[in-house]
Amino acid sequence: MKGKLKLDETDHQILNMLIDNTRTPFTDIAKKLDISAGTVHVRVKKMEESGIIVGSSLTLNYKKLGYTFIAYVGIFLEKTSQTQFVLNRIEEIPNITVAHVTTGKFNLFCKIRAKNTEHAKNIIFLIDDIDGVSRTETMISMEESLNDKTRLMKSIFENM
Amino acid sequence: MKGKLKLDETDHQILNMLIDNTRTPFTDIAKKLDISAGTVHVRVKKMEESGIIVGSSLTLNYKKLGYTFIAYVGIFLEKTSQTQFVLNRIEEIPNITVAHVTTGKFNLFCKIRAKNTEHAKNIIFLIDDIDGVSRTETMISMEESLNDKTRLMKSIFENM
Amino acid sequence: MKGKLKLDETDHQILNMLIDNTRTPFTDIAKKLDISAGTVHVRVKKMEESGIIVGSSLTLNYKKLGYTFIAYVGIFLEKTSQTQFVLNRIEEIPNITVAHVTTGKFNLFCKIRAKNTEHAKNIIFLIDDIDGVSRTETMISMEESLNDKTRLMKSIFENM
Amino acid sequence: MKGKLKLDETDHQILNMLIDNTRTPFTDIAKKLDISAGTVHVRVKKMEESGIIVGSSLTLNYKKLGYTFIAYVGIFLEKTSQTQFVLNRIEEIPNITVAHVTTGKFNLFCKIRAKNTEHAKNIIFLIDDIDGVSRTETMISMEESLNDKTRLMKSIFENM
Amino acid sequence: MKGKLKLDETDHQILNMLIDNTRTPFTDIAKKLDISAGTVHVRVKKMEESGIIVGSSLTLNYKKLGYTFIAYVGIFLEKTSQTQFVLNRIEEIPNITVAHVTTGKFNLFCKIRAKNTEHAKNIIFLIDDIDGVSRTETMISMEESLNDKTRLMKSIFENM
Amino acid sequence: MKGKLKLDETDHQILNMLIDNTRTPFTDIAKKLDISAGTVHVRVKKMEESGIIVGSSLTLNYKKLGYTFIAYVGIFLEKTSQTQFVLNRIEEIPNITVAHVTTGKFNLFCKIRAKNTEHAKNIIFLIDDIDGVSRTETMISMEESLNDKTRLMKSIFENM
Amino acid sequence: MKGKLKLDETDHQILNMLIDNTRTPFTDIAKKLDISAGTVHVRVKKMEESGIIVGSSLTLNYKKLGYTFIAYVGIFLEKTSQTQFVLNRIEEIPNITVAHVTTGKFNLFCKIRAKNTEHAKNIIFLIDDIDGVSRTETMISMEESLNDKTRLMKSIFENM
Amino acid sequence: MKGKLKLDETDHQILNMLIDNTRTPFTDIAKKLDISAGTVHVRVKKMEESGIIVGSSLTLNYKKLGYTFIAYVGIFLEKTSQTQFVLNRIEEIPNITVAHVTTGKFNLFCKIRAKNTEHAKNIIFLIDDIDGVSRTETMISMEESLNDKTRLMKSIFENM
């Protein structure tokens, strides 16, 4: 963490505009903040190089694409020494979008998106079949009511 | 769902490039796919209007921003008729980035990001204090090993 | 139970044929068993009057009718003295096809059939809103692999 | 689902009468609906061929037959790859009338009917002894308060 | 159960007196009930032979004997086919005074009496070490508030 | 515990004989141990007065009396200050033969004996209806495999 | 944390000697480390003022003092807003030696030391009776096998 | 326990002063209690030799030393016969400051102190990797609100 980048007010304002729309042209940002487009470019580059900005991702409507089923799967491993091996297998299953190492009841905890109940069952069976997985327990979402990091990101920059 | 947009091969290729980098200029996409930039523009607009593309979001490194603590919070409500009211209160807490209605053990299930243990405790206490919330149970992430929707999105378009 | 009907071999054979197809004409049964149709009629009437045969029901393919979602709902009551009242409310919800009084973890245990996740959520919310219901926990079926009382009925008559 | 049968008002009325009593003669249905018996026959045949009507089953009073004990058994498998094998063994036990694949706490979830506690214990031991079954947990019904699909079937046709 | 003994009012009164004090001399019972001592003798013999009276046991004050620790131990077996074998091993441990076959969370459920925490730990370790026992879970009694079958026995005879 | 009675070898032998059969005449014990009947009488009296012998109880075969159903009921209280009040109500229900104060999952833990499932349900509902009882959870015995304090009593005297 | 004291090798060695025996005279430490007693005094004072050394505590043998019973008590609160109030009440109970705010299953988690089962029950009842405490669950220690911070303290200084 | 040391009022007062500060010079204690320093020395020696005083330990502020993370880890063993072996391995991990043998849900129960989430994860993985450990479950402390044996020690001497 030594020598980590200190963000100033201008950085925050640039991030705020990109958070609202990652495709905002740098010239628009420059005009709004009354700085040169080159400055915007330099600042963004600096934040990318320091690792604060990792990338940008498209927000799609999964329902419209036929993916209406979301579930959280808790995984019990036979041995925690298999953690990394199992995580590598998990990465090969694209329907698992999030995976955590936890130490409470479960060893690993994942989020999956599937087309329907039948499809979800097959994805869970894929997880169950990974070497080192002893058992899984699934919790099914009836509605994704909130999925939004924008509020958090704005709050972080406001409180910095 | 009636009259829902049918995506063709060109749409898939455009999405694939934007998934890799939402800031890819349309002219680059056009050149790569050997179509006009206007066509790219029209296609993207059509996918936005039909609701398939909801927006784009910046991927930040929360650790570098001092947010190293992730937890999942299960919420028990006093009555499910309070679900919408509690969800509205939850939206006012920016550290809650995801919230689901579930019907297993919990009524609601959330993901929170905090700076540290102390900060997380305070956020959980905010949730506990919402009218209608009877009790919460928290599971703490020791490591976010995977958080990536790109693999899923590519898999969806490949299998369409 | 005093004076309860003793079924004989002929009764068993009649039941066996009706179990296979409740619409089997009595004349077919009579011919098969080499008895008169009148006898079949008398025997069936007797079994109906003694309460052994309660009725007959159509077996529909719920999937073809758009009802693909099955869940089991465990209900916690505020007081067991409300059991009958809650059971009466449950009967008013046609999507609940089975309900048991249990004394383990739950007070009541139900089976519901719904069109999809959204529909199931609404049915569960109806249950949650019944006066006297304190909380529910739902277990979702990924596949109804077996639903067949014919094997049991045949086994009962064979072992009688 | 393509080309699936569309039921019209006449189909609904026929189903409604058969739901009340599967043995209702087609001539009675015809008279009631003011159509020919041949039409009734054709409609029922069509619904059977399209798979909507699967069959009909006798509703017996299990208590009168000495079967007073109902329990639900949750099954933990050693590996989910054994699911189909275990389901096949389950089908050989006639006292198991319902079986579901689930993905929550249990891998499989069954309903059993037995004569009494002793009999139930033996059936559960049969399940425990199936290869691939690691453990079972049983919940005992104190009273089957509701077991009726008629209300659901009528509600489906009314809302179609 | 065929030909099981029907107890009459005199039997009930004899049992009632013996329940209060198993050492009551038959002559006292005879005088009280205004029958001959021989009749008392015959009746008691008959109840012993029919298996209704199994024997009599001394009620000791375990606390005064230095046995102040009571716990209930739930046992998980590796396979239910080992039930009888494990029960035989359990019988060899005199501190286990009660054992049940259960089918809920546990396979077997026992009551143990020990001198103190250290002693209880050693008894539980004996159980854990039986072949076929996979795991145990113990619930400790803080106070045995009631241990009395007299009220039940009297209630049975009053309601017979 | 001050001044508590020290049992000697003779006391142990007397107790051992009474444990086998509480009705053994003192003259038989005297002859067997080669002491006077008066000594036996004095020793037993002393053990009764010091509270070591509390009484004697008849061992009946509950199955033969139609009581085939045993269950353990865990009770959650609203407040532990109600413990004594609830224990008093519990004593009024003769089918509860054992009750413990526990501090693990449950506040109180009871054993009940009933005629059948229906009867057990009604007894559990009586418990649920006691003021101060918030909820109960029942575990049902499929078989009482062991219920014997004789082995313990003998082991105590052997190890004294 | 700004301006926090940096410990050097000499500080570590002083701490190491005091960890082994808090009563080691400063002159002994000085001689061993070949520095002046004044330096030891200054260093210890500095570590006390910076808050690294909070104090010293006597390690007693609780068993020898008649305190053989250790339990962990999980507390469920009615509302987390009562956390501080309940913690203040907990501090008034000297038998509670450790208390944590947790956010998993329990709201608070305590360690208690008592003379015996009866004493422990009374302490737990004191906790249950605090306003705002809804329920407690107790886990009893059968043996405190390790209670030693010396290894940790030495490891901290070695790895600094 | 035979011949165990009886503490008198003077011993209590000496202990009370040492509990407040283990480094209190014996001359100060002597002056305060109006006895000779030699007497203090003799009394303390006697209490050490009888095992009542085991030693003294430094109370450090772990937060100031960078150790902000506390967790409780429940351990499931494969066999309880491995208890001592696993306890020996646990002693080799200095971050485990407390360990208990328990017989409820877990076989062993530990307290760990770590620098942060990442560090804690690694310590828990060390535990998981011990031969004979089948699984662990961790509960994380959000705040150590109380850690004080002084109140207990004073209460013990006051009530002696």
Side-chain angles (χ1 to χ4, degrees):
Chain A
M1 290 286 188
K2 213 182 301 158
K4 88 170 156 158
L5 184 66
K6 283 290 226 180
L7 301 183
D8 66 14
E9 187 52 31
T10 304
D11 294 323
H12 292 175
Q13 287 179 307
I14 293 171
L15 282 170
N16 257 337
M17 291 187 74
L18 288 174
I19 284 165
D20 278 338
N21 178 4
T22 58
R23 290 188 62 84
T24 317
F26 286 178
T27 47
D28 286 17
I29 298 177
K31 196 177 294 171
K32 188 85 171 278
L33 303 185
D34 204 10
I35 52 178
S36 75
T39 302
V40 176
H41 192 80
V42 167
R43 297 296 189 108
V44 169
K45 185 133 213 158
K46 204 183 51 186
M47 291 190 282
E48 284 172 353
E49 279 166 5
S50 70
I52 284 176
I53 296 179
V54 176
S56 60
S57 76
L58 223 48
T59 308
L60 300 182
N61 183 325
Y62 292 98
K63 276 198 182 168
K64 298 241 169 179
L65 293 164
Y67 278 68
T68 59
F69 200 99
I70 301 174
Y72 285 92
V73 181
I75 301 177
F76 295 90
L77 298 180
E78 276 152 20
K79 277 281 165 204
T80 55
S81 55
Q82 299 158 314
T83 303
Q84 196 48 57
F85 173 83
V86 173
L87 282 172
N88 291 347
R89 292 298 81 66
I90 276 173
E91 263 200 72
E92 294 164 5
I93 304 174
N95 298 274
I96 304 178
T97 57
V98 179
H100 292 269
V101 176
T102 58
T103 60
K105 188 180 174 193
F106 305 119
N107 297 106
L108 297 174
F109 191 68
C110 301
K111 183 179 189 175
I112 66 171
R113 286 180 186 269
K115 286 184 224 172
N116 50 43
T117 311
E118 171 84 13
H119 188 204
K121 188 188 72 177
N122 292 334
I123 295 165
I124 294 164
F125 278 20
L126 280 182
I127 301 175
D128 278 316
D129 282 346
I130 295 173
D131 274 345
V133 168
S134 131
R135 217 159 60 74
T136 60
E137 259 187 56
T138 299
M139 179 177 63
I140 286 158
S141 165
M142 304 307 264
E143 179 190 303
E144 186 169 40
S145 315
L146 180 73
N147 192 340
D148 161 40
K149 292 181 295 194
T150 309
R151 287 150 44 254
L152 174 60
M153 290 189 280
K154 297 210 165 172
S155 140
I156 290 175
F157 299 127
E158 275 158 25
N159 296 308
M160 241 165 168
Chain B
M1 288 288 187
K2 212 180 301 158
K4 87 172 158 157
L5 185 66
K6 283 290 224 181
L7 301 182
D8 65 15
E9 188 53 32
T10 304
D11 295 323
H12 292 174
Q13 287 178 306
I14 293 170
L15 282 170
N16 257 338
M17 291 187 74
L18 288 174
I19 284 165
D20 279 336
N21 177 3
T22 59
R23 291 189 61 84
T24 316
F26 286 177
T27 48
D28 287 16
I29 298 177
K31 196 176 294 171
K32 188 86 171 279
L33 303 185
D34 204 10
I35 52 177
S36 75
T39 301
V40 176
H41 192 80
V42 166
R43 296 297 189 109
V44 169
K45 185 131 214 159
K46 205 182 52 185
M47 291 191 283
E48 285 172 352
E49 279 166 6
S50 71
I52 285 175
I53 296 178
V54 177
S56 59
S57 75
L58 223 48
T59 308
L60 300 182
N61 184 325
Y62 292 98
K63 274 197 184 169
K64 298 242 170 177
L65 293 164
Y67 278 68
T68 59
F69 200 98
I70 301 174
Y72 285 92
V73 181
I75 300 176
F76 295 90
L77 298 181
E78 276 153 20
K79 276 282 162 203
T80 54
S81 54
Q82 299 157 314
T83 303
Q84 196 48 56
F85 173 83
V86 172
L87 283 171
N88 292 347
R89 292 297 81 66
I90 276 173
E91 263 200 73
E92 294 164 5
I93 304 174
N95 297 275
I96 304 178
T97 57
V98 179
H100 291 270
V101 176
T102 57
T103 60
K105 188 179 174 192
F106 306 120
N107 297 105
L108 297 174
F109 191 68
C110 301
K111 182 179 189 175
I112 66 170
R113 286 181 186 270
K115 286 184 221 171
N116 50 42
T117 311
E118 171 84 12
H119 189 205
K121 190 189 72 177
N122 292 333
I123 295 165
I124 294 164
F125 278 20
L126 280 182
I127 301 175
D128 277 316
D129 282 346
I130 296 173
D131 275 343
V133 168
S134 128
R135 218 159 61 72
T136 60
E137 259 186 56
T138 298
M139 179 177 63
I140 286 158
S141 164
M142 303 307 264
E143 178 189 303
E144 187 170 39
S145 315
L146 180 73
N147 192 340
D148 160 40
K149 291 179 297 192
T150 308
R151 289 149 44 255
L152 174 60
M153 290 189 280
K154 296 208 166 173
S155 141
I156 290 175
F157 299 126
E158 275 158 25
N159 296 308
M160 242 163 167
Chain C
M1 290 285 190
K2 215 182 298 159
K4 88 171 156 158
L5 186 65
K6 282 291 226 181
L7 301 182
D8 64 14
E9 187 53 31
T10 304
D11 295 324
H12 292 176
Q13 287 178 307
I14 292 171
L15 282 171
N16 257 336
M17 291 187 74
L18 288 173
I19 284 165
D20 278 338
N21 177 3
T22 58
R23 290 189 61 85
T24 317
F26 287 179
T27 48
D28 287 16
I29 297 176
K31 196 177 298 171
K32 188 85 170 279
L33 303 185
D34 204 10
I35 52 177
S36 75
T39 302
V40 176
H41 193 79
V42 167
R43 296 297 189 108
V44 169
K45 184 132 215 160
K46 206 184 51 186
M47 292 191 281
E48 284 172 352
E49 279 166 7
S50 71
I52 284 175
I53 296 179
V54 177
S56 60
S57 76
L58 223 49
T59 308
L60 301 182
N61 184 324
Y62 291 98
K63 274 198 184 168
K64 298 242 170 178
L65 292 164
Y67 278 68
T68 60
F69 200 99
I70 300 175
Y72 285 93
V73 181
I75 300 177
F76 296 89
L77 298 181
E78 276 152 21
K79 276 282 164 202
T80 57
S81 54
Q82 299 158 314
T83 304
Q84 196 48 57
F85 173 83
V86 173
L87 282 171
N88 292 348
R89 291 299 80 68
I90 276 172
E91 264 199 72
E92 294 164 6
I93 304 174
N95 298 275
I96 304 178
T97 57
V98 179
H100 292 270
V101 176
T102 57
T103 61
K105 187 180 174 193
F106 305 119
N107 297 104
L108 297 174
F109 191 68
C110 300
K111 183 179 188 175
I112 66 170
R113 285 181 187 270
K115 287 183 222 172
N116 50 42
T117 310
E118 170 85 13
H119 189 204
K121 189 189 72 178
N122 292 333
I123 294 165
I124 294 164
F125 277 20
L126 279 182
I127 300 174
D128 278 316
D129 282 346
I130 295 174
D131 275 343
V133 167
S134 129
R135 217 158 61 73
T136 61
E137 259 186 56
T138 298
M139 179 175 63
I140 286 158
S141 165
M142 303 309 265
E143 179 189 304
E144 188 171 37
S145 315
L146 179 73
N147 192 340
D148 160 41
K149 291 180 298 191
T150 308
R151 289 149 45 253
L152 174 61
M153 290 189 280
K154 296 209 165 174
S155 140
I156 291 175
F157 299 126
E158 274 157 26
N159 295 310
M160 242 167 168
Chain D
M1 290 285 189
K2 215 180 298 159
K4 86 171 159 157
L5 185 66
K6 281 291 223 180
L7 301 182
D8 64 15
E9 187 52 32
T10 304
D11 295 323
H12 293 175
Q13 286 178 307
I14 293 170
L15 282 170
N16 257 338
M17 291 186 74
L18 288 173
I19 285 164
D20 278 338
N21 178 3
T22 59
R23 289 188 63 82
T24 317
F26 286 178
T27 47
D28 287 17
I29 297 176
K31 197 176 296 170
K32 187 86 171 278
L33 302 186
D34 203 12
I35 52 178
S36 74
T39 301
V40 176
H41 192 81
V42 166
R43 295 297 188 109
V44 168
K45 185 132 214 158
K46 204 183 51 184
M47 290 192 283
E48 284 172 353
E49 280 167 5
S50 70
I52 285 176
I53 297 178
V54 176
S56 59
S57 76
L58 223 48
T59 308
L60 300 182
N61 184 326
Y62 291 97
K63 275 198 183 168
K64 299 241 168 178
L65 294 164
Y67 278 68
T68 59
F69 200 99
I70 300 174
Y72 285 92
V73 181
I75 301 176
F76 295 89
L77 298 181
E78 277 152 20
K79 275 283 162 201
T80 55
S81 54
Q82 299 158 314
T83 303
Q84 196 48 56
F85 173 82
V86 173
L87 283 171
N88 291 348
R89 294 297 80 68
I90 276 173
E91 263 200 72
E92 294 164 6
I93 304 174
N95 298 274
I96 305 178
T97 57
V98 179
H100 292 270
V101 176
T102 57
T103 60
K105 189 180 173 192
F106 305 119
N107 297 106
L108 297 174
F109 191 69
C110 300
K111 183 180 189 174
I112 66 171
R113 287 182 185 269
K115 286 185 224 170
N116 50 41
T117 310
E118 171 83 13
H119 188 203
K121 189 190 71 179
N122 292 333
I123 294 165
I124 294 164
F125 277 20
L126 280 182
I127 300 174
D128 278 315
D129 282 346
I130 295 174
D131 275 344
V133 168
S134 129
R135 218 158 61 74
T136 61
E137 259 187 56
T138 298
M139 179 176 64
I140 286 158
S141 165
M142 304 308 263
E143 179 189 303
E144 187 170 39
S145 315
L146 179 73
N147 192 339
D148 161 39
K149 289 180 298 194
T150 309
R151 289 150 42 255
L152 174 61
M153 289 189 281
K154 296 211 165 172
S155 140
I156 290 175
F157 298 126
E158 275 158 26
N159 295 308
M160 240 163 170
Chain E
M1 290 286 190
K2 215 181 299 160
K4 85 171 160 157
L5 185 66
K6 282 291 229 181
L7 301 181
D8 65 14
E9 187 52 29
T10 304
D11 296 323
H12 292 176
Q13 287 179 307
I14 293 170
L15 281 170
N16 257 338
M17 291 186 74
L18 288 173
I19 284 165
D20 278 337
N21 177 3
T22 59
R23 290 189 61 86
T24 316
F26 287 176
T27 48
D28 288 16
I29 297 176
K31 195 176 299 170
K32 188 85 171 280
L33 303 185
D34 203 11
I35 54 178
S36 75
T39 301
V40 175
H41 193 80
V42 167
R43 296 297 189 109
V44 168
K45 185 131 213 156
K46 206 183 50 183
M47 292 192 281
E48 284 171 353
E49 280 165 5
S50 71
I52 285 176
I53 297 179
V54 176
S56 59
S57 75
L58 224 49
T59 308
L60 300 181
N61 184 327
Y62 292 97
K63 275 198 183 169
K64 298 240 169 179
L65 293 163
Y67 278 68
T68 59
F69 200 99
I70 301 174
Y72 285 92
V73 182
I75 300 177
F76 295 89
L77 298 180
E78 275 153 20
K79 276 282 162 202
T80 56
S81 55
Q82 300 157 314
T83 303
Q84 195 48 57
F85 173 84
V86 173
L87 283 171
N88 292 348
R89 292 299 79 68
I90 276 173
E91 263 200 73
E92 293 164 5
I93 304 173
N95 299 275
I96 304 178
T97 58
V98 179
H100 292 271
V101 176
T102 57
T103 59
K105 188 180 171 191
F106 306 120
N107 296 105
L108 297 173
F109 191 69
C110 300
K111 182 179 188 174
I112 67 171
R113 286 181 187 270
K115 286 184 222 170
N116 50 41
T117 310
E118 171 83 13
H119 189 205
K121 188 189 73 176
N122 292 334
I123 295 164
I124 294 164
F125 278 20
L126 280 182
I127 300 174
D128 278 317
D129 281 347
I130 295 173
D131 275 343
V133 167
S134 128
R135 217 157 61 75
T136 61
E137 258 186 56
T138 298
M139 179 176 65
I140 286 157
S141 165
M142 302 309 264
E143 178 190 303
E144 187 171 38
S145 316
L146 179 73
N147 192 341
D148 161 38
K149 289 180 297 193
T150 309
R151 290 149 42 256
L152 174 61
M153 290 189 281
K154 298 211 163 173
S155 139
I156 291 176
F157 298 127
E158 275 158 26
N159 296 309
M160 241 162 168
Chain F
M1 289 289 187
K2 215 181 298 161
K4 87 170 158 158
L5 184 65
K6 281 292 225 180
L7 301 181
D8 65 14
E9 187 53 29
T10 304
D11 295 323
H12 292 177
Q13 287 178 307
I14 294 171
L15 282 171
N16 256 338
M17 291 186 74
L18 288 174
I19 284 164
D20 277 338
N21 178 4
T22 59
R23 291 190 59 87
T24 316
F26 287 177
T27 49
D28 288 17
I29 297 177
K31 195 176 298 169
K32 189 86 171 281
L33 303 185
D34 204 10
I35 54 178
S36 76
T39 302
V40 177
H41 193 81
V42 166
R43 295 299 188 107
V44 169
K45 185 132 214 156
K46 204 184 50 185
M47 290 192 282
E48 284 172 352
E49 280 166 6
S50 71
I52 284 175
I53 297 180
V54 177
S56 59
S57 75
L58 223 49
T59 308
L60 300 182
N61 184 326
Y62 292 97
K63 273 198 185 170
K64 299 242 169 179
L65 293 164
Y67 279 67
T68 59
F69 201 100
I70 301 174
Y72 286 92
V73 181
I75 300 177
F76 296 89
L77 298 181
E78 276 152 21
K79 275 282 163 203
T80 56
S81 55
Q82 299 158 315
T83 303
Q84 196 47 57
F85 172 84
V86 173
L87 283 171
N88 292 347
R89 291 300 79 68
I90 276 173
E91 264 200 72
E92 294 164 6
I93 304 174
N95 298 275
I96 304 178
T97 58
V98 179
H100 292 271
V101 176
T102 57
T103 59
K105 189 180 171 191
F106 306 120
N107 297 104
L108 297 172
F109 191 68
C110 299
K111 183 180 188 174
I112 66 171
R113 285 181 187 271
K115 287 184 222 171
N116 50 41
T117 311
E118 171 84 13
H119 189 203
K121 189 189 73 177
N122 292 333
I123 295 165
I124 294 164
F125 278 19
L126 279 182
I127 300 174
D128 277 315
D129 282 346
I130 296 173
D131 275 343
V133 168
S134 129
R135 217 157 62 75
T136 61
E137 258 187 57
T138 299
M139 179 175 65
I140 286 158
S141 165
M142 303 307 265
E143 179 189 303
E144 188 171 38
S145 315
L146 180 73
N147 191 340
D148 160 40
K149 290 179 298 191
T150 309
R151 291 149 43 254
L152 174 61
M153 289 189 282
K154 297 210 164 173
S155 140
I156 290 175
F157 299 126
E158 276 158 25
N159 296 309
M160 240 163 167
Chain G
M1 288 288 189
K2 215 180 299 158
K4 85 172 158 156
L5 185 65
K6 281 292 224 180
L7 301 181
D8 65 16
E9 187 53 31
T10 305
D11 295 322
H12 292 176
Q13 288 178 307
I14 293 170
L15 283 170
N16 257 338
M17 291 187 75
L18 288 174
I19 284 164
D20 278 338
N21 177 4
T22 59
R23 290 188 62 84
T24 317
F26 286 178
T27 47
D28 288 16
I29 297 176
K31 195 177 296 170
K32 187 85 170 282
L33 303 186
D34 204 12
I35 53 178
S36 75
T39 301
V40 176
H41 192 81
V42 166
R43 295 298 188 109
V44 169
K45 184 132 214 157
K46 203 183 53 182
M47 290 191 283
E48 284 172 353
E49 280 167 5
S50 71
I52 285 176
I53 297 179
V54 177
S56 60
S57 76
L58 224 49
T59 308
L60 301 182
N61 184 326
Y62 291 97
K63 275 197 184 169
K64 299 240 170 181
L65 293 164
Y67 278 68
T68 59
F69 200 99
I70 300 174
Y72 286 92
V73 181
I75 300 177
F76 295 89
L77 299 181
E78 276 152 21
K79 276 282 163 203
T80 55
S81 54
Q82 299 158 314
T83 303
Q84 196 47 58
F85 173 83
V86 173
L87 283 171
N88 292 347
R89 293 297 81 67
I90 276 172
E91 264 200 73
E92 293 163 5
I93 304 174
N95 298 275
I96 304 178
T97 57
V98 179
H100 291 270
V101 177
T102 57
T103 59
K105 189 179 172 192
F106 306 120
N107 297 105
L108 297 173
F109 191 68
C110 299
K111 182 179 190 175
I112 66 170
R113 286 181 186 271
K115 286 183 222 170
N116 50 42
T117 311
E118 171 84 12
H119 188 205
K121 188 190 73 177
N122 292 334
I123 294 165
I124 294 164
F125 278 19
L126 280 182
I127 300 174
D128 277 316
D129 282 346
I130 295 173
D131 274 343
V133 168
S134 130
R135 218 158 61 74
T136 60
E137 259 187 57
T138 298
M139 180 176 65
I140 286 157
S141 165
M142 303 308 265
E143 179 190 302
E144 187 171 39
S145 315
L146 179 73
N147 192 340
D148 161 39
K149 289 179 299 192
T150 308
R151 289 149 45 255
L152 174 60
M153 290 189 281
K154 297 210 166 172
S155 141
I156 290 175
F157 299 127
E158 275 158 25
N159 295 309
M160 240 161 170
Chain H
M1 289 288 188
K2 215 181 298 158
K4 85 171 159 158
L5 184 66
K6 281 293 226 178
L7 302 182
D8 65 14
E9 187 53 30
T10 304
D11 295 324
H12 293 176
Q13 287 178 307
I14 293 170
L15 282 171
N16 257 336
M17 291 187 74
L18 287 174
I19 283 165
D20 279 338
N21 177 5
T22 59
R23 290 189 62 86
T24 316
F26 286 178
T27 48
D28 288 15
I29 297 176
K31 195 175 300 170
K32 187 85 170 280
L33 303 185
D34 204 10
I35 53 179
S36 76
T39 303
V40 176
H41 192 80
V42 166
R43 297 297 189 108
V44 168
K45 185 132 213 157
K46 204 184 52 185
M47 292 191 281
E48 284 172 353
E49 279 166 7
S50 71
I52 284 175
I53 296 180
V54 177
S56 59
S57 76
L58 222 49
T59 308
L60 300 181
N61 183 326
Y62 292 97
K63 274 198 184 168
K64 298 240 169 180
L65 293 164
Y67 278 68
T68 59
F69 200 99
I70 300 174
Y72 286 92
V73 181
I75 301 178
F76 296 89
L77 298 180
E78 275 152 21
K79 276 283 164 202
T80 56
S81 54
Q82 300 158 314
T83 303
Q84 195 47 59
F85 173 82
V86 173
L87 283 171
N88 292 348
R89 290 302 79 70
I90 275 172
E91 264 199 72
E92 294 164 4
I93 304 174
N95 298 276
I96 304 178
T97 57
V98 179
H100 292 270
V101 176
T102 57
T103 61
K105 188 180 173 191
F106 306 119
N107 296 105
L108 297 173
F109 192 69
C110 300
K111 183 179 189 175
I112 65 170
R113 286 181 187 270
K115 287 184 223 169
N116 50 42
T117 311
E118 170 85 11
H119 189 205
K121 189 189 72 177
N122 292 332
I123 295 165
I124 294 164
F125 278 20
L126 280 182
I127 301 174
D128 278 316
D129 282 346
I130 295 173
D131 275 343
V133 167
S134 130
R135 217 159 59 74
T136 61
E137 259 186 54
T138 299
M139 179 176 64
I140 286 159
S141 164
M142 303 307 266
E143 178 190 303
E144 187 169 39
S145 316
L146 180 73
N147 192 339
D148 160 40
K149 291 179 296 192
T150 309
R151 288 148 45 254
L152 174 61
M153 289 189 280
K154 296 210 164 172
S155 139
I156 290 175
F157 299 127
E158 275 158 25
N159 295 308
M160 243 165 166

